[in-house]
Coordinates of all heavy atoms in Angstrom, one line a residue:
M1311 N -12.3 -3.6 -4.7 CA -11.7 -3.5 -6.0 C -11.6 -2.0 -6.2 O -12.5 -1.3 -6.1 CB -12.5 -4.2 -7.0 CG -11.9 -4.1 -8.4 SD -12.7 -5.1 -9.6 CE -11.7 -6.6 -9.5
I1312 N -10.4 -1.6 -6.7 CA -10.1 -0.2 -7.1 C -9.8 -0.4 -8.6 O -8.7 -0.9 -9.0 CB -9.0 0.4 -6.3 CG1 -9.4 0.4 -4.8 CG2 -8.7 1.9 -6.9 CD1 -8.3 0.9 -3.9
E1313 N -10.5 0.3 -9.4 CA -10.5 0.2 -10.9 C -10.6 -1.4 -11.2 O -11.6 -1.9 -10.9 CB -9.2 0.9 -11.3 CG -9.1 2.4 -11.1 CD -9.9 3.1 -12.0 OE1 -10.1 2.8 -13.2 OE2 -10.4 4.2 -11.6
N1314 N -9.5 -1.9 -11.8 CA -9.5 -3.3 -12.2 C -8.7 -4.2 -11.3 O -8.5 -5.3 -11.7 CB -9.0 -3.5 -13.6 CG -9.9 -2.8 -14.7 OD1 -11.0 -2.4 -14.4 ND2 -9.4 -2.5 -15.8
I1315 N -8.3 -3.6 -10.2 CA -7.4 -4.3 -9.2 C -8.1 -4.6 -8.0 O -8.6 -3.9 -7.3 CB -6.0 -3.3 -9.1 CG1 -5.3 -3.0 -10.3 CG2 -5.1 -4.3 -8.1 CD1 -4.3 -2.1 -10.1
T1316 N -7.9 -5.9 -7.6 CA -8.5 -6.3 -6.3 C -7.9 -5.8 -5.2 O -6.6 -5.5 -5.2 CB -8.6 -7.9 -6.3 OG1 -7.3 -8.4 -6.1 CG2 -9.4 -8.5 -7.4
Y1317 N -8.5 -5.8 -4.0 CA -7.8 -5.3 -2.7 C -6.5 -6.2 -2.4 O -5.4 -5.7 -2.0 CB -8.7 -5.4 -1.6 CG -9.8 -4.3 -1.7 CD1 -11.2 -4.6 -1.3 CD2 -9.6 -3.0 -2.3 CE1 -12.2 -3.7 -1.4 CE2 -10.6 -2.1 -2.4 CZ -11.9 -2.5 -1.9 OH -12.9 -1.6 -2.0
D1318 N -6.7 -7.5 -2.7 CA -5.6 -8.4 -2.4 C -4.5 -8.2 -3.3 O -3.3 -8.2 -2.9 CB -6.0 -9.9 -2.5 CG -7.0 -10.3 -1.4 OD1 -6.9 -9.7 -0.3 OD2 -7.7 -11.3 -1.6
E1319 N -4.7 -7.8 -4.6 CA -3.6 -7.6 -5.5 C -2.9 -6.3 -5.0 O -1.6 -6.2 -5.1 CB -4.0 -7.4 -6.9 CG -4.5 -8.7 -7.4 CD -5.2 -8.5 -8.9 OE1 -5.9 -7.5 -9.0 OE2 -5.0 -9.4 -9.7
I1320 N -3.6 -5.2 -4.6 CA -3.0 -4.0 -4.3 C -2.2 -4.2 -2.8 O -1.1 -3.7 -2.8 CB -4.0 -2.9 -3.8 CG1 -4.7 -2.5 -5.2 CG2 -3.5 -1.7 -3.3 CD1 -6.0 -1.7 -5.1
L1321 N -2.7 -5.0 -2.0 CA -1.9 -5.3 -0.8 C -0.6 -6.2 -1.2 O 0.3 -5.9 -0.5 CB -2.8 -6.1 0.2 CG -4.0 -5.4 0.8 CD1 -4.8 -6.2 1.8 CD2 -3.4 -4.1 1.6
K1322 N -0.7 -6.9 -2.0 CA 0.4 -7.8 -2.4 C 1.5 -6.9 -3.0 O 2.6 -6.9 -2.7 CB 0.0 -8.9 -3.5 CG 1.3 -9.8 -3.9 CD 0.8 -10.7 -4.9 CE 2.0 -11.5 -5.4 NZ 1.8 -12.4 -6.5
I1323 N 1.1 -5.9 -3.9 CA 2.0 -4.9 -4.5 C 2.6 -4.1 -3.4 O 3.9 -3.8 -3.4 CB 1.3 -4.1 -5.5 CG1 0.9 -4.8 -6.7 CG2 2.0 -2.9 -5.9 CD1 -0.1 -4.2 -7.7
A1324 N 1.8 -3.6 -2.5 CA 2.3 -2.7 -1.4 C 3.3 -3.5 -0.5 O 4.4 -3.0 -0.1 CB 1.1 -2.4 -0.4
N1325 N 3.1 -4.8 -0.3 CA 4.0 -5.6 0.6 C 5.4 -5.8 -0.3 O 6.5 -5.9 0.3 CB 3.5 -7.0 0.8 CG 2.4 -6.9 2.0 OD1 2.3 -5.9 2.9 ND2 1.4 -7.8 1.9
E1326 N 5.2 -6.0 -1.5 CA 6.5 -6.2 -2.4 C 7.3 -4.9 -2.4 O 8.4 -5.0 -2.4 CB 6.0 -6.6 -3.8 CG 5.5 -8.0 -4.0 CD 5.1 -8.5 -5.3 OE1 5.1 -7.6 -6.3 OE2 4.5 -9.6 -5.5
I1327 N 6.6 -3.9 -2.6 CA 7.2 -2.4 -2.5 C 8.0 -2.3 -1.3 O 9.2 -1.9 -1.2 CB 6.3 -1.4 -2.8 CG1 5.7 -1.4 -4.3 CG2 6.9 0.0 -2.5 CD1 4.5 -0.4 -4.5
S1328 N 7.3 -2.7 -0.1 CA 8.0 -2.4 1.2 C 9.2 -3.3 1.3 O 10.1 -3.0 1.8 CB 6.8 -2.6 2.3 OG 7.5 -2.6 3.5
S1329 N 9.0 -4.6 0.9 CA 10.1 -5.6 1.0 C 11.3 -5.1 0.1 O 12.4 -5.2 0.7 CB 9.6 -6.8 0.5 OG 10.6 -7.9 0.5
S1330 N 11.0 -4.6 -1.0 CA 12.1 -4.1 -1.9 C 12.9 -2.9 -1.3 O 14.0 -2.8 -1.3 CB 11.5 -3.8 -3.2 OG 11.0 -4.9 -4.0
A1331 N 12.1 -2.0 -0.7 CA 12.6 -0.7 -0.1 C 13.5 -1.2 1.1 O 14.6 -0.7 1.3 CB 11.5 0.2 0.5
E1332 N 13.0 -2.3 1.9 CA 13.8 -2.7 3.0 C 15.1 -3.3 2.4 O 16.1 -3.0 3.1 CB 13.0 -3.8 3.7 CG 13.6 -4.1 5.1 CD 12.7 -5.2 5.8 OE1 11.4 -4.9 6.0 OE2 13.1 -6.3 6.2
K1333 N 15.1 -4.1 1.5 CA 16.3 -4.8 1.0 C 17.2 -3.7 0.5 O 18.5 -3.7 0.6 CB 16.0 -5.8 -0.1 CG 15.3 -6.9 0.5 CD 14.8 -8.0 -0.6 CE 14.0 -9.1 -0.1 NZ 13.4 -10.0 -1.2
L1334 N 16.7 -2.7 -0.3 CA 17.5 -1.6 -0.8 C 18.1 -0.9 0.4 O 19.4 -0.6 0.2 CB 16.7 -0.8 -1.7 CG 17.4 0.4 -2.3 CD1 18.7 -0.1 -3.2 CD2 16.5 1.2 -3.1
S1335 N 17.4 -0.5 1.3 CA 18.0 0.1 2.4 C 19.1 -0.6 3.1 O 20.1 0.0 3.5 CB 16.9 0.3 3.5 OG 17.4 1.0 4.6
E1336 N 19.0 -2.0 3.4 CA 20.1 -2.8 3.9 C 21.3 -2.7 2.9 O 22.4 -2.6 3.5 CB 19.6 -4.2 4.0 CG 18.5 -4.5 5.0 CD 17.9 -5.8 5.1 OE1 18.5 -6.7 4.3 OE2 17.0 -6.1 5.8
V1337 N 21.1 -2.8 1.8 CA 22.3 -2.8 0.8 C 23.0 -1.5 0.8 O 24.2 -1.3 1.0 CB 22.0 -3.1 -0.6 CG1 22.9 -2.8 -1.6 CG2 21.5 -4.6 -0.8
L1338 N 22.2 -0.4 0.9 CA 22.8 1.0 1.0 C 23.4 1.2 2.2 O 24.5 1.8 2.4 CB 21.6 2.0 0.7 CG 21.1 2.0 -0.6 CD1 19.9 3.0 -0.7 CD2 22.0 2.2 -1.7
Q1339 N 23.0 0.7 3.4 CA 23.5 1.0 4.7 C 24.9 0.2 4.7 O 25.9 0.7 5.2 CB 22.6 0.4 5.8 CG 21.5 1.4 6.1 CD 20.6 0.8 7.2 OE1 20.7 -0.3 7.7 NE2 19.5 1.7 7.4
K1340 N 24.8 -1.1 4.1 CA 26.1 -1.8 4.1 C 27.2 -1.1 3.4 O 28.5 -1.3 3.7 CB 25.9 -3.3 3.7 CG 25.1 -4.1 4.5 CD 24.9 -5.5 3.9 CE 24.1 -6.4 4.8 NZ 23.8 -7.7 4.2
N1341 N 26.8 -0.4 2.3 CA 27.8 0.3 1.4 C 28.0 1.7 1.9 O 28.6 2.5 1.1 CB 27.5 0.2 0.0 CG 27.5 -1.4 -0.4 OD1 28.6 -1.9 -0.4 ND2 26.5 -1.9 -0.8
N1342 N 27.4 2.1 2.9 CA 27.5 3.5 3.5 C 27.0 4.6 2.4 O 27.8 5.5 2.2 CB 28.9 3.8 3.9 CG 29.0 5.0 4.9 OD1 27.9 5.3 5.5 ND2 30.1 5.7 5.0
I1343 N 25.9 4.3 1.8 CA 25.4 5.2 0.7 C 24.2 5.7 1.3 O 23.2 5.1 1.7 CB 25.0 4.4 -0.5 CG1 26.3 3.7 -1.1 CG2 24.4 5.4 -1.6 CD1 26.0 2.8 -2.2
T1344 N 24.2 7.1 1.6 CA 23.0 7.8 2.2 C 22.3 8.7 1.2 O 21.2 9.2 1.5 CB 23.5 8.7 3.3 OG1 24.5 9.7 2.7 CG2 24.3 7.9 4.4
E1345 N 22.6 8.8 -0.1 CA 22.0 9.7 -1.0 C 20.5 9.3 -1.4 O 19.8 10.2 -1.8 CB 22.8 9.9 -2.3 CG 24.2 10.5 -2.1 CD 25.3 9.6 -1.7 OE1 25.0 8.4 -1.6 OE2 26.4 10.2 -1.4
L1346 N 20.3 8.1 -1.1 CA 19.0 7.5 -1.5 C 17.9 7.3 -0.4 O 16.8 6.8 -0.5 CB 19.0 6.2 -2.3 CG 19.8 6.2 -3.6 CD1 19.9 4.9 -4.3 CD2 19.1 7.2 -4.7
N1347 N 18.4 7.8 0.8 CA 17.4 7.6 1.9 C 16.1 8.3 1.8 O 15.1 7.8 2.2 CB 18.2 8.2 3.1 CG 19.1 7.3 3.7 OD1 19.2 6.1 3.4 ND2 20.1 7.8 4.5
D1348 N 16.0 9.5 1.2 CA 14.9 10.2 0.9 C 13.9 9.3 0.0 O 12.7 9.3 0.1 CB 15.0 11.5 0.4 CG 15.6 12.6 1.4 OD1 15.3 12.1 2.5 OD2 16.0 13.6 0.9
F1349 N 14.5 8.8 -1.1 CA 13.9 7.9 -2.0 C 13.2 6.7 -1.3 O 12.1 6.4 -1.5 CB 14.8 7.5 -3.1 CG 14.2 6.5 -4.1 CD1 13.2 6.9 -5.0 CD2 14.6 5.1 -4.0 CE1 12.6 5.9 -5.8 CE2 13.9 4.3 -5.0 CZ 12.9 4.6 -5.8
I1350 N 14.0 6.1 -0.5 CA 13.5 4.9 0.2 C 12.4 5.3 1.1 O 11.4 4.5 1.2 CB 14.6 4.2 1.0 CG1 15.6 3.6 0.0 CG2 14.1 3.1 1.9 CD1 16.9 3.2 0.6
S1351 N 12.5 6.3 1.9 CA 11.4 6.8 2.7 C 10.1 7.0 1.9 O 9.1 6.7 2.4 CB 11.8 8.0 3.4 OG 12.8 7.8 4.3
T1352 N 10.3 7.7 0.7 CA 9.2 7.8 -0.2 C 8.5 6.5 -0.6 O 7.2 6.4 -0.5 CB 9.5 8.8 -1.4 OG1 10.1 9.9 -0.9 CG2 8.4 8.9 -2.4
V1353 N 9.3 5.6 -1.0 CA 8.8 4.3 -1.5 C 8.1 3.7 -0.2 O 6.9 3.1 -0.4 CB 9.9 3.4 -2.0 CG1 9.5 2.0 -2.2 CG2 10.5 4.0 -3.2
E1354 N 8.7 3.7 0.9 CA 8.0 3.1 2.2 C 6.6 3.8 2.4 O 5.6 3.2 2.8 CB 8.9 3.0 3.3 CG 10.0 2.2 3.3 CD 11.2 2.4 4.3 OE1 11.1 3.5 4.9 OE2 11.9 1.4 4.5
G1355 N 6.7 5.1 2.3 CA 5.5 5.9 2.5 C 4.3 5.6 1.5 O 3.1 5.4 1.9
Y1356 N 4.7 5.2 0.2 CA 3.8 4.8 -0.8 C 3.1 3.5 -0.4 O 2.0 3.2 -0.6 CB 4.4 4.9 -2.1 CG 3.3 4.6 -3.3 CD1 2.4 5.6 -3.6 CD2 3.4 3.4 -4.0 CE1 1.5 5.3 -4.5 CE2 2.5 3.2 -4.9 CZ 1.6 4.2 -5.2 OH 0.6 3.9 -6.2
S1357 N 3.9 2.6 0.0 CA 3.6 1.3 0.5 C 2.4 1.4 1.6 O 1.4 0.8 1.4 CB 4.6 0.3 1.0 OG 4.2 -0.7 1.4
K1358 N 2.7 2.2 2.5 CA 1.8 2.5 3.6 C 0.5 3.2 3.0 O -0.7 2.9 3.6 CB 2.4 3.4 4.7 CG 3.5 2.6 5.5 CD 4.2 3.5 6.4 CE 5.4 2.8 7.1 NZ 6.1 3.7 8.0
Y1359 N 0.6 4.0 2.2 CA -0.5 4.8 1.5 C -1.4 3.7 0.9 O -2.6 3.8 1.1 CB 0.1 5.8 0.6 CG -1.1 6.2 -0.5 CD1 -1.9 7.2 -0.1 CD2 -1.0 5.8 -1.7 CE1 -3.0 7.6 -0.9 CE2 -2.2 6.2 -2.6 CZ -3.1 7.1 -2.1 OH -4.1 7.6 -3.0
L1360 N -0.8 2.8 0.2 CA -1.5 1.7 -0.5 C -2.4 0.9 0.5 O -3.5 0.6 0.3 CB -0.8 0.9 -1.4 CG -0.2 1.4 -2.7 CD1 0.8 0.4 -3.3 CD2 -1.3 1.9 -3.6
N1361 N -1.7 0.5 1.6 CA -2.3 -0.3 2.6 C -3.6 0.5 3.3 O -4.6 0.1 3.5 CB -1.4 -0.6 3.6 CG -0.5 -1.9 3.3 OD1 -1.0 -2.9 3.0 ND2 0.8 -1.6 3.3
T1362 N -3.3 1.8 3.5 CA -4.4 2.6 4.1 C -5.4 2.8 3.2 O -6.6 2.9 3.6 CB -3.7 4.0 4.6 OG1 -2.6 3.8 5.5 CG2 -4.7 4.9 5.2
T1363 N -5.2 3.1 2.0 CA -6.2 3.3 0.9 C -7.1 2.1 0.8 O -8.3 2.1 0.7 CB -5.6 3.5 -0.6 OG1 -4.8 4.7 -0.4 CG2 -6.7 3.7 -1.6
V1364 N -6.5 0.8 0.8 CA -7.4 -0.4 0.7 C -8.3 -0.5 1.9 O -9.4 -0.8 1.8 CB -6.5 -1.7 0.6 CG1 -7.2 -3.0 1.0 CG2 -5.8 -1.7 -0.7
E1365 N -7.7 -0.2 3.1 CA -8.5 -0.2 4.4 C -9.6 0.7 4.3 O -10.9 0.4 4.7 CB -7.7 0.0 5.7 CG -6.7 -1.1 5.9 CD -7.3 -2.5 6.0 OE1 -8.4 -2.6 6.8 OE2 -6.9 -3.4 5.5
L1366 N -9.4 2.0 3.7 CA -10.5 2.9 3.6 C -11.6 2.5 2.6 O -12.7 2.7 2.9 CB -9.9 4.2 3.2 CG -9.0 5.0 4.1 CD1 -8.4 6.3 3.5 CD2 -9.9 5.5 5.3
Y1367 N -11.2 1.8 1.5 CA -12.1 1.5 0.5 C -12.9 0.2 1.0 O -14.1 0.2 0.8 CB -11.4 1.0 -0.7 CG -11.1 2.2 -1.7 CD1 -10.3 3.1 -1.5 CD2 -12.0 2.1 -3.0 CE1 -10.2 4.0 -2.5 CE2 -11.7 3.1 -3.9 CZ -10.9 4.1 -3.7 OH -10.7 5.1 -4.6
K1368 N -12.3 -0.6 1.8 CA -13.0 -1.7 2.5 C -14.1 -1.2 3.5 O -15.3 -1.6 3.5 CB -12.1 -2.6 3.3 CG -11.3 -3.5 2.3 CD -10.5 -4.4 3.2 CE -9.7 -5.4 2.3 NZ -8.8 -6.4 3.1
E1369 N -13.7 -0.1 4.3 CA -14.7 0.5 5.2 C -15.9 1.1 4.3 O -16.9 1.0 4.9 CB -14.1 1.5 6.0 CG -13.1 0.8 7.0 CD -13.8 0.0 8.2 OE1 -14.8 0.3 8.5 OE2 -13.3 -1.0 8.5
A1370 N -15.5 1.8 3.3 CA -16.5 2.4 2.5 C -17.4 1.4 1.8 O -18.6 1.6 1.8 CB -15.9 3.2 1.3
D1371 N -16.9 0.2 1.4 CA -17.7 -0.9 0.8 C -18.7 -1.3 1.9 O -19.9 -1.5 1.6 CB -16.8 -2.1 0.5 CG -16.1 -1.7 -0.9 OD1 -16.4 -0.7 -1.5 OD2 -15.1 -2.5 -1.2
I1372 N -18.3 -1.4 3.2 CA -19.1 -1.9 4.2 C -20.3 -0.9 4.4 O -21.3 -1.3 4.6 CB -18.4 -2.3 5.5 CG1 -17.4 -3.5 5.4 CG2 -19.3 -2.4 6.7 CD1 -16.4 -3.6 6.4
A1373 N -19.8 0.4 4.5 CA -20.9 1.5 4.8 C -21.9 1.5 3.6 O -23.1 1.6 4.0 CB -20.1 2.8 5.0
L1374 N -21.4 1.4 2.4 CA -22.4 1.4 1.3 C -23.3 0.2 1.3 O -24.5 0.3 1.1 CB -21.6 1.5 0.0 CG -20.9 2.8 -0.3 CD1 -20.1 2.6 -1.6 CD2 -21.9 3.9 -0.5
T1375 N -22.8 -1.0 1.7 CA -23.6 -2.1 1.8 C -24.6 -1.9 3.0 O -25.8 -2.3 2.6 CB -22.7 -3.4 2.1 OG1 -21.7 -3.6 1.1 CG2 -23.6 -4.6 2.3
D1376 N -24.3 -1.4 4.0 CA -25.2 -1.3 5.0 C -26.3 -0.1 4.6 O -27.5 -0.3 4.9 CB -24.5 -0.6 6.3 CG -23.7 -1.7 6.9 OD1 -23.9 -2.9 6.6 OD2 -22.7 -1.4 7.7
L1377 N -25.9 0.9 3.8 CA -26.8 2.0 3.4 C -27.8 1.3 2.5 O -29.0 1.8 2.4 CB -26.2 3.1 2.9 CG -25.4 4.1 3.8 CD1 -24.6 5.1 3.1 CD2 -26.4 4.7 4.7
T1378 N -27.3 0.5 1.6 CA -28.1 -0.1 0.5 C -29.1 -1.0 1.3 O -30.3 -1.1 0.8 CB -27.3 -0.9 -0.5 OG1 -26.2 -0.1 -1.0 CG2 -28.0 -1.5 -1.6
K1379 N -28.7 -1.8 2.2 CA -29.6 -2.6 3.0 C -30.7 -1.9 3.6 O -31.8 -2.3 3.6 CB -28.8 -3.5 3.9 CG -28.0 -4.6 3.3 CD -27.3 -5.3 4.4 CE -26.4 -6.5 3.8 NZ -25.7 -7.1 4.9
E1380 N -30.4 -0.7 4.2 CA -31.4 0.0 4.8 C -32.5 0.7 4.0 O -33.6 0.8 4.4 CB -30.6 1.2 5.6 CG -30.0 0.8 6.9 CD -29.1 1.9 7.5 OE1 -29.5 3.1 7.3 OE2 -28.3 1.6 8.3
K1381 N -32.0 0.9 2.7 CA -33.0 1.5 1.7 C -34.0 0.5 1.3 O -35.1 0.9 0.9 CB -32.2 2.1 0.5 CG -31.6 3.4 0.8 CD -31.2 4.0 -0.5 CE -30.9 5.5 -0.3 NZ -30.8 6.2 -1.6
K1382 N -33.7 -0.8 1.3 CA -34.6 -1.8 0.9 C -35.6 -2.1 1.7 O -36.4 -2.0 2.3 CB -33.9 -3.1 0.5 CG -32.9 -3.0 -0.6 CD -32.1 -4.3 -0.9 CE -31.2 -4.1 -2.0 NZ -30.5 -5.4 -2.4

């Protein structure tokens, strides 16, 4: 959990962001609009960032659990 949001909720948001960026990219390509390519790349990058952040937090949770067990 990060703040008040569960990992699953964050991953769901990341997937929705990625899906939306993909759909927007398709629409823009069909209409030959290139001005928003940087924006779409940024949105896709943020989605990847969220996924990576969740993985890092999960790994940190495991490490902290292991450390807590060792102290007992």
Side-chain angles (χ1 to χ4, degrees):
M1311 181 173 266
I1312 302 174
E1313 297 287 329
N1314 296 340
I1315 304 173
T1316 66
Y1317 295 142
D1318 288 336
E1319 290 172 325
I1320 294 170
L1321 292 174
K1322 181 180 176 189
I1323 291 167
N1325 289 335
E1326 289 174 2
I1327 289 171
S1328 179
S1329 176
S1330 295
E1332 188 177 309
K1333 289 175 187 174
L1334 180 58
S1335 179
E1336 289 172 9
V1337 169
L1338 295 176
Q1339 285 178 357
K1340 286 180 184 177
N1341 292 297
N1342 200 27
I1343 301 171
T1344 59
E1345 291 85 7
L1346 295 176
N1347 285 340
D1348 288 341
F1349 172 74
I1350 292 170
S1351 293
T1352 301
V1353 171
E1354 290 171 341
Y1356 186 66
S1357 173
K1358 291 176 186 175
Y1359 165 78
L1360 290 174
N1361 281 301
T1362 302
T1363 300
V1364 167
E1365 292 305 315
L1366 288 173
Y1367 270 73
K1368 284 181 177 181
E1369 291 294 325
D1371 288 346
I1372 292 168
L1374 289 172
T1375 300
D1376 292 344
L1377 288 172
T1378 303
K1379 288 179 183 176
E1380 288 179 15
K1381 280 191 164 188
K1382 291 181 181 180

